[in-house]
Amino acid sequence: MSAVPTPSAPREPASRRERDDACPGTLRLHTADDGALARVRIPGGLLTATQADALADAADRLGDGALHLTSRGNVQLRGLGRGDTGGLGGDAGSNGCGRELADTLAEIGLLPSARHERVRNIVASPLSGLDGRGHLDVAPWVRELDRLLCASAAAAGLSGRFLFACDDGRGDVAALGADVTLVARDAETAELRIDGVSPDTPSGQGDGLGHGPGRDEPGGTAVLHVSAAEAPRAALLAAELFLAAVRDGGTPCWRVRELPGAAALMARGVTRRLRTARELAEPHTQVAPDAVREPGAAPGLHPAPDSAPGTRTARAARTALCVTAPLGRLTTDQWRRLAATAARDGDGRLRVTPWRGVVVPGLPGAPSRTAPDRLAELADAGLVTGPYAPLAGVGACAGRPGCAKSRTDVRGHAVRAADAEPAEPSGARALPVHWSGCERRCGHPQGGAWVDVVATPGGYDVTVVGGPVRAPAATAVTDPARLAAAVAAARTTGPPP
């Protein structure tokens, strides 16, 4: 089959915003070619097995029978309302299945505030508190930040693209380019990082795809030290100060990096407000001066995720299973298997990762065979459970037929190319690869090196991306065999110099 794509529209500029962002939620659905789409925010990816089962029931009852994982650890339901005469898209009130989904999510605790449902964007270190790494378990940060967000009237004005990150010190989600990042430095202290530049490069030259401002423009990243106890409050204050700066500047912006000078301004404002709060609580306590600075190389931060497929031995002789959804999509049967494993053999909880995976914690450790046996069962069910599975490290946008903007069926081409790759790549560990149906590159990796495979009017372009550096590997490829070979070669060449 030919891999020749058909034309589509170019990417929208990322700087000035003349409208509200179009990010979908559960109360505002997005109309796609395969039906309406709902995005369910799951702060920190933290789910109970009961909530997971309810999401599977909703996907079967209302959608396409699958759960689509996002690069922010959220879950999307697609194909909603295809038989609903109430119409597709718009807010949930205009769509019968949308109303039913919203009611379901509210009942299981996944819609605590209708006003804030699109702004609860929080990623967290998936193995925090499970594998003995990191300085502290960030799950309490996630829950407290989510509670504070939902209690803040101002925070409801955040864009659906504004992102928080809670990193336990291992540096996995700190590399994802969140607007506001909390990084644990020890059990008692944290860094609040406010990012005014793209995550892909220290020089800040956009998102590695030529979009967005650089550090040479008024912006940059501001860092200040806070106590671990006040970290969630500091993150909320930063977001509220961003909204105030946007309002005062009169320039619509969705992300901190779009507003010149915002990062340092926000950091100083957070420092002043925290100082005031401390002085009110403890009038005789001396507070250190502002600790706003540009970060150098952050010690101990490594962008490679620890939640790659496999097992992780946790504290107290417990083990966590780590699996990846093939191309970010799980059937409801696969999803229910994960929920059942969590309920039967784990601690009743799951964690959805920003790398389109799922962690199931709390299984018995060695010498019990429970964890390896369950991992083998999940592999038999079609999940990615090891680094050399054909679809390990492979991602793709929705593509045709679900997305009208896509030039071709990128998911089908990605599967065929992955099947043609060698079972065990030689040399360095294979770079992740992302297939995109157009220049928008929805869901592409953030941080680190990766292989960009994008459909163009003349065929597929294959490029190795490393920060601002783009090393073309092949252009306008239409032959499937040549395309598979080009992608496989690009994945093993290493990041560009």
Side-chain angles (χ1 to χ4, degrees), residues 77-123:
L77 303 185
R78 300 186 67 100
L80 299 170
R82 285 177 292 186
D84 186 347
T85 57
L88 297 176
D91 60 40
S94 67
N95 182 287
C97 74
R99 291 191 299 271
E100 185 175 347
L101 175 61
D103 290 342
T104 296
L105 297 177
E107 289 173 3
I108 61 175
L110 292 181
L111 186 58
S113 171
R115 293 186 62 203
H116 298 82
E117 64 106 3
R118 293 192 316 120
V119 308
R120 300 168 62 234
N121 297 301
I122 308 172
V123 295

Short mmCIF file of all heavy atoms in Angstrom, two decimals, residues 77-123:
data_model
loop_
_atom_site.label_atom_id
_atom_site.label_comp_id
_atom_site.label_asym_id
_atom_site.label_seq_id
_atom_site.Cartn_x
_atom_site.Cartn_y
_atom_site.Cartn_z
N LEU A 77 -11.97 9.69 25.51
CA LEU A 77 -12.98 8.81 24.96
C LEU A 77 -13.37 9.37 23.60
O LEU A 77 -13.70 10.55 23.47
CB LEU A 77 -14.21 8.73 25.86
CG LEU A 77 -13.97 8.29 27.31
CD1 LEU A 77 -15.30 8.15 28.05
CD2 LEU A 77 -13.20 6.98 27.38
N ARG A 78 -13.34 8.53 22.58
CA ARG A 78 -13.64 8.95 21.21
C ARG A 78 -14.90 8.25 20.72
O ARG A 78 -15.37 7.29 21.30
CB ARG A 78 -12.48 8.64 20.27
CG ARG A 78 -11.16 9.32 20.63
CD ARG A 78 -10.11 9.06 19.54
NE ARG A 78 -10.48 9.70 18.30
CZ ARG A 78 -9.99 10.86 17.87
NH1 ARG A 78 -9.08 11.51 18.60
NH2 ARG A 78 -10.37 11.37 16.71
N GLY A 79 -15.40 8.75 19.60
CA GLY A 79 -16.58 8.13 18.99
C GLY A 79 -17.85 8.34 19.78
O GLY A 79 -18.80 7.56 19.65
N LEU A 80 -17.90 9.40 20.59
CA LEU A 80 -19.08 9.65 21.41
C LEU A 80 -20.23 10.18 20.57
O LEU A 80 -20.03 11.03 19.70
CB LEU A 80 -18.75 10.66 22.51
CG LEU A 80 -17.66 10.26 23.51
CD1 LEU A 80 -17.28 11.46 24.36
CD2 LEU A 80 -18.13 9.11 24.39
N GLY A 81 -21.42 9.69 20.83
CA GLY A 81 -22.63 10.27 20.25
C GLY A 81 -22.83 10.05 18.78
O GLY A 81 -23.58 10.80 18.15
N ARG A 82 -22.21 9.02 18.23
CA ARG A 82 -22.39 8.82 16.79
C ARG A 82 -23.83 8.48 16.43
O ARG A 82 -24.29 8.76 15.34
CB ARG A 82 -21.45 7.72 16.30
CG ARG A 82 -20.01 8.18 16.19
CD ARG A 82 -19.08 7.08 15.78
NE ARG A 82 -18.96 6.07 16.82
CZ ARG A 82 -18.12 5.05 16.76
NH1 ARG A 82 -17.35 4.90 15.69
NH2 ARG A 82 -18.02 4.18 17.74
N GLY A 83 -24.56 7.93 17.41
CA GLY A 83 -25.97 7.65 17.17
C GLY A 83 -26.88 8.58 17.94
O GLY A 83 -28.09 8.35 18.03
N ASP A 84 -26.33 9.66 18.47
CA ASP A 84 -27.09 10.58 19.31
C ASP A 84 -27.69 11.68 18.44
O ASP A 84 -26.98 12.45 17.81
CB ASP A 84 -26.15 11.21 20.35
CG ASP A 84 -26.87 12.07 21.37
OD1 ASP A 84 -28.05 12.39 21.13
OD2 ASP A 84 -26.25 12.41 22.38
N THR A 85 -29.01 11.76 18.37
CA THR A 85 -29.66 12.75 17.54
C THR A 85 -29.54 14.15 18.11
O THR A 85 -29.91 15.12 17.48
CB THR A 85 -31.16 12.42 17.37
OG1 THR A 85 -31.75 12.34 18.68
CG2 THR A 85 -31.33 11.09 16.66
N GLY A 86 -28.99 14.26 19.33
CA GLY A 86 -28.81 15.57 19.93
C GLY A 86 -27.67 16.36 19.34
O GLY A 86 -27.47 17.51 19.65
N GLY A 87 -26.88 15.71 18.46
CA GLY A 87 -25.79 16.44 17.82
C GLY A 87 -24.47 16.20 18.53
O GLY A 87 -24.42 15.71 19.64
N LEU A 88 -23.38 16.53 17.84
CA LEU A 88 -22.04 16.31 18.35
C LEU A 88 -21.37 17.63 18.69
O LEU A 88 -21.70 18.67 18.15
CB LEU A 88 -21.20 15.57 17.30
CG LEU A 88 -21.67 14.17 16.93
CD1 LEU A 88 -20.78 13.63 15.82
CD2 LEU A 88 -21.64 13.25 18.12
N GLY A 89 -20.39 17.53 19.56
CA GLY A 89 -19.57 18.69 19.87
C GLY A 89 -20.27 19.65 20.80
O GLY A 89 -21.34 19.39 21.35
N GLY A 90 -19.64 20.82 21.00
CA GLY A 90 -20.18 21.81 21.91
C GLY A 90 -20.07 21.36 23.34
O GLY A 90 -19.27 20.49 23.68
N ASP A 91 -20.86 21.98 24.22
CA ASP A 91 -20.79 21.58 25.62
C ASP A 91 -21.64 20.35 25.85
O ASP A 91 -22.42 19.92 25.01
CB ASP A 91 -21.22 22.73 26.54
CG ASP A 91 -22.65 23.19 26.29
OD1 ASP A 91 -23.52 22.34 26.04
OD2 ASP A 91 -22.88 24.41 26.34
N ALA A 92 -21.44 19.75 27.03
CA ALA A 92 -22.11 18.48 27.30
C ALA A 92 -23.62 18.63 27.32
O ALA A 92 -24.36 17.68 27.08
CB ALA A 92 -21.62 17.92 28.64
N GLY A 93 -24.11 19.84 27.59
CA GLY A 93 -25.54 20.04 27.65
C GLY A 93 -26.21 19.89 26.30
O GLY A 93 -27.42 19.70 26.23
N SER A 94 -25.45 20.00 25.20
CA SER A 94 -26.05 19.88 23.88
C SER A 94 -25.95 18.48 23.33
O SER A 94 -26.32 18.22 22.20
CB SER A 94 -25.36 20.85 22.90
OG SER A 94 -24.02 20.45 22.69
N ASN A 95 -25.48 17.57 24.11
CA ASN A 95 -25.24 16.22 23.62
C ASN A 95 -25.63 15.22 24.70
O ASN A 95 -25.12 15.28 25.81
CB ASN A 95 -23.75 16.09 23.26
CG ASN A 95 -23.41 14.73 22.69
OD1 ASN A 95 -23.38 13.75 23.42
ND2 ASN A 95 -23.14 14.69 21.40
N GLY A 96 -26.54 14.30 24.36
CA GLY A 96 -27.04 13.37 25.36
C GLY A 96 -25.96 12.53 25.99
O GLY A 96 -25.92 12.36 27.21
N CYS A 97 -25.05 11.99 25.16
CA CYS A 97 -23.99 11.15 25.72
C CYS A 97 -23.03 12.00 26.54
O CYS A 97 -22.45 11.52 27.51
CB CYS A 97 -23.26 10.40 24.62
SG CYS A 97 -22.14 11.41 23.64
N GLY A 98 -22.86 13.28 26.16
CA GLY A 98 -22.01 14.16 26.94
C GLY A 98 -22.55 14.36 28.34
O GLY A 98 -21.80 14.34 29.32
N ARG A 99 -23.84 14.57 28.44
CA ARG A 99 -24.46 14.73 29.76
C ARG A 99 -24.32 13.45 30.58
O ARG A 99 -24.04 13.49 31.78
CB ARG A 99 -25.94 15.10 29.61
CG ARG A 99 -26.17 16.50 29.06
CD ARG A 99 -27.63 16.90 29.20
NE ARG A 99 -28.51 16.00 28.46
CZ ARG A 99 -28.85 16.18 27.18
NH1 ARG A 99 -28.36 17.20 26.51
NH2 ARG A 99 -29.67 15.34 26.58
N GLU A 100 -24.53 12.31 29.93
CA GLU A 100 -24.41 11.04 30.65
C GLU A 100 -22.98 10.80 31.12
O GLU A 100 -22.75 10.34 32.25
CB GLU A 100 -24.86 9.88 29.75
CG GLU A 100 -24.89 8.53 30.46
CD GLU A 100 -25.44 7.42 29.60
OE1 GLU A 100 -26.03 7.71 28.54
OE2 GLU A 100 -25.28 6.24 29.99
N LEU A 101 -22.01 11.14 30.28
CA LEU A 101 -20.61 10.98 30.67
C LEU A 101 -20.29 11.89 31.85
O LEU A 101 -19.64 11.46 32.82
CB LEU A 101 -19.69 11.30 29.50
CG LEU A 101 -18.19 11.29 29.79
CD1 LEU A 101 -17.74 9.90 30.26
CD2 LEU A 101 -17.39 11.73 28.57
N ALA A 102 -20.72 13.14 31.80
CA ALA A 102 -20.45 14.07 32.89
C ALA A 102 -21.05 13.56 34.19
O ALA A 102 -20.42 13.64 35.26
CB ALA A 102 -21.00 15.46 32.55
N ASP A 103 -22.26 13.03 34.13
CA ASP A 103 -22.90 12.49 35.34
C ASP A 103 -22.11 11.31 35.89
O ASP A 103 -21.91 11.18 37.11
CB ASP A 103 -24.33 12.06 35.03
CG ASP A 103 -25.26 13.23 34.77
OD1 ASP A 103 -24.90 14.36 35.14
OD2 ASP A 103 -26.34 13.01 34.19
N THR A 104 -21.64 10.45 34.99
CA THR A 104 -20.85 9.28 35.41
C THR A 104 -19.57 9.72 36.11
O THR A 104 -19.21 9.20 37.18
CB THR A 104 -20.51 8.40 34.20
OG1 THR A 104 -21.72 7.87 33.65
CG2 THR A 104 -19.60 7.26 34.60
N LEU A 105 -18.86 10.68 35.51
CA LEU A 105 -17.59 11.13 36.08
C LEU A 105 -17.80 11.81 37.42
O LEU A 105 -16.99 11.66 38.34
CB LEU A 105 -16.89 12.06 35.11
CG LEU A 105 -16.47 11.44 33.77
CD1 LEU A 105 -15.85 12.49 32.87
CD2 LEU A 105 -15.51 10.28 33.98
N ALA A 106 -18.87 12.57 37.55
CA ALA A 106 -19.16 13.22 38.83
C ALA A 106 -19.42 12.18 39.91
O ALA A 106 -18.97 12.33 41.06
CB ALA A 106 -20.35 14.16 38.68
N GLU A 107 -20.11 11.12 39.57
CA GLU A 107 -20.44 10.08 40.55
C GLU A 107 -19.19 9.36 41.07
O GLU A 107 -19.16 8.93 42.22
CB GLU A 107 -21.39 9.06 39.93
CG GLU A 107 -22.80 9.60 39.69
CD GLU A 107 -23.66 8.61 38.92
OE1 GLU A 107 -23.15 7.49 38.63
OE2 GLU A 107 -24.82 8.94 38.61
N ILE A 108 -18.17 9.22 40.23
CA ILE A 108 -16.99 8.47 40.64
C ILE A 108 -15.84 9.38 41.08
O ILE A 108 -14.72 8.92 41.29
CB ILE A 108 -16.50 7.52 39.52
CG1 ILE A 108 -16.10 8.32 38.26
CG2 ILE A 108 -17.56 6.48 39.21
CD1 ILE A 108 -15.50 7.45 37.16
N GLY A 109 -16.10 10.68 41.20
CA GLY A 109 -15.09 11.59 41.72
C GLY A 109 -14.10 12.13 40.72
O GLY A 109 -13.09 12.73 41.11
N LEU A 110 -14.37 11.99 39.43
CA LEU A 110 -13.46 12.49 38.41
C LEU A 110 -13.91 13.83 37.83
O LEU A 110 -13.30 14.33 36.89
CB LEU A 110 -13.29 11.47 37.28
CG LEU A 110 -12.55 10.19 37.67
CD1 LEU A 110 -12.43 9.25 36.47
CD2 LEU A 110 -11.18 10.48 38.25
N LEU A 111 -14.97 14.41 38.38
CA LEU A 111 -15.41 15.73 37.96
C LEU A 111 -15.81 16.52 39.21
O LEU A 111 -16.98 16.80 39.46
CB LEU A 111 -16.60 15.61 37.00
CG LEU A 111 -17.11 16.90 36.35
CD1 LEU A 111 -16.00 17.58 35.57
CD2 LEU A 111 -18.30 16.61 35.45
N PRO A 112 -14.80 16.89 40.03
CA PRO A 112 -15.11 17.55 41.30
C PRO A 112 -15.60 18.98 41.15
O PRO A 112 -16.24 19.51 42.06
CB PRO A 112 -13.77 17.51 42.06
CG PRO A 112 -12.74 17.46 40.99
CD PRO A 112 -13.35 16.65 39.88
N SER A 113 -15.28 19.63 40.02
CA SER A 113 -15.70 21.01 39.81
C SER A 113 -15.94 21.25 38.33
O SER A 113 -15.01 21.16 37.52
CB SER A 113 -14.65 22.00 40.33
OG SER A 113 -14.96 23.33 39.94
N ALA A 114 -17.18 21.54 37.97
CA ALA A 114 -17.50 21.77 36.57
C ALA A 114 -16.72 22.97 36.02
O ALA A 114 -16.28 22.96 34.86
CB ALA A 114 -19.00 21.99 36.41
N ARG A 115 -16.53 24.01 36.82
CA ARG A 115 -15.84 25.20 36.35
C ARG A 115 -14.36 24.95 36.07
O ARG A 115 -13.73 25.68 35.29
CB ARG A 115 -15.96 26.33 37.38
CG ARG A 115 -17.36 26.88 37.58
CD ARG A 115 -17.30 28.08 38.51
NE ARG A 115 -16.48 29.15 37.94
CZ ARG A 115 -15.90 30.11 38.67
NH1 ARG A 115 -16.02 30.11 39.99
NH2 ARG A 115 -15.20 31.06 38.08
N HIS A 116 -13.79 23.97 36.71
CA HIS A 116 -12.35 23.74 36.63
C HIS A 116 -11.98 22.47 35.85
O HIS A 116 -10.82 22.07 35.85
CB HIS A 116 -11.75 23.64 38.03
CG HIS A 116 -11.92 24.88 38.86
ND1 HIS A 116 -13.09 25.15 39.53
CD2 HIS A 116 -11.07 25.91 39.11
CE1 HIS A 116 -12.95 26.30 40.18
NE2 HIS A 116 -11.74 26.78 39.95
N GLU A 117 -12.93 21.86 35.19
CA GLU A 117 -12.66 20.52 34.66
C GLU A 117 -11.57 20.50 33.58
O GLU A 117 -10.86 19.52 33.44
CB GLU A 117 -13.95 19.88 34.13
CG GLU A 117 -14.59 20.60 32.96
CD GLU A 117 -14.39 19.85 31.66
OE1 GLU A 117 -13.81 18.76 31.69
OE2 GLU A 117 -14.80 20.38 30.62
N ARG A 118 -11.36 21.61 32.85
CA ARG A 118 -10.33 21.60 31.81
C ARG A 118 -8.97 22.10 32.32
O ARG A 118 -7.98 22.03 31.58
CB ARG A 118 -10.75 22.46 30.62
CG ARG A 118 -11.93 21.90 29.84
CD ARG A 118 -12.15 22.61 28.52
NE ARG A 118 -12.03 24.05 28.64
CZ ARG A 118 -11.13 24.79 27.97
NH1 ARG A 118 -10.26 24.22 27.17
NH2 ARG A 118 -11.10 26.10 28.13
N VAL A 119 -8.91 22.62 33.54
CA VAL A 119 -7.65 23.21 34.03
C VAL A 119 -6.92 22.30 35.01
O VAL A 119 -5.85 22.66 35.50
CB VAL A 119 -7.90 24.58 34.67
CG1 VAL A 119 -8.68 25.46 33.71
CG2 VAL A 119 -8.63 24.49 35.99
N ARG A 120 -7.45 21.11 35.28
CA ARG A 120 -6.83 20.20 36.24
C ARG A 120 -5.74 19.37 35.55
O ARG A 120 -5.76 18.14 35.57
CB ARG A 120 -7.90 19.31 36.88
CG ARG A 120 -8.97 20.10 37.63
CD ARG A 120 -10.17 19.27 38.00
NE ARG A 120 -9.82 18.18 38.92
CZ ARG A 120 -10.10 16.91 38.69
NH1 ARG A 120 -10.70 16.54 37.56
NH2 ARG A 120 -9.77 16.00 39.57
N ASN A 121 -4.81 20.07 34.93
CA ASN A 121 -3.74 19.43 34.16
C ASN A 121 -2.49 19.30 35.02
O ASN A 121 -1.71 20.26 35.14
CB ASN A 121 -3.44 20.24 32.90
CG ASN A 121 -4.63 20.31 31.96
OD1 ASN A 121 -5.12 19.28 31.51
ND2 ASN A 121 -5.10 21.51 31.68
N ILE A 122 -2.29 18.15 35.62
CA ILE A 122 -1.16 17.91 36.51
C ILE A 122 -0.50 16.59 36.14
O ILE A 122 -1.16 15.54 36.15
CB ILE A 122 -1.59 17.85 37.99
CG1 ILE A 122 -2.42 19.08 38.38
CG2 ILE A 122 -0.38 17.71 38.90
CD1 ILE A 122 -3.03 19.00 39.77
N VAL A 123 0.77 16.63 35.77
CA VAL A 123 1.53 15.40 35.56
C VAL A 123 2.41 15.18 36.79
O VAL A 123 2.79 16.13 37.48
CB VAL A 123 2.39 15.44 34.28
CG1 VAL A 123 1.51 15.50 33.05
CG2 VAL A 123 3.35 16.62 34.31
#
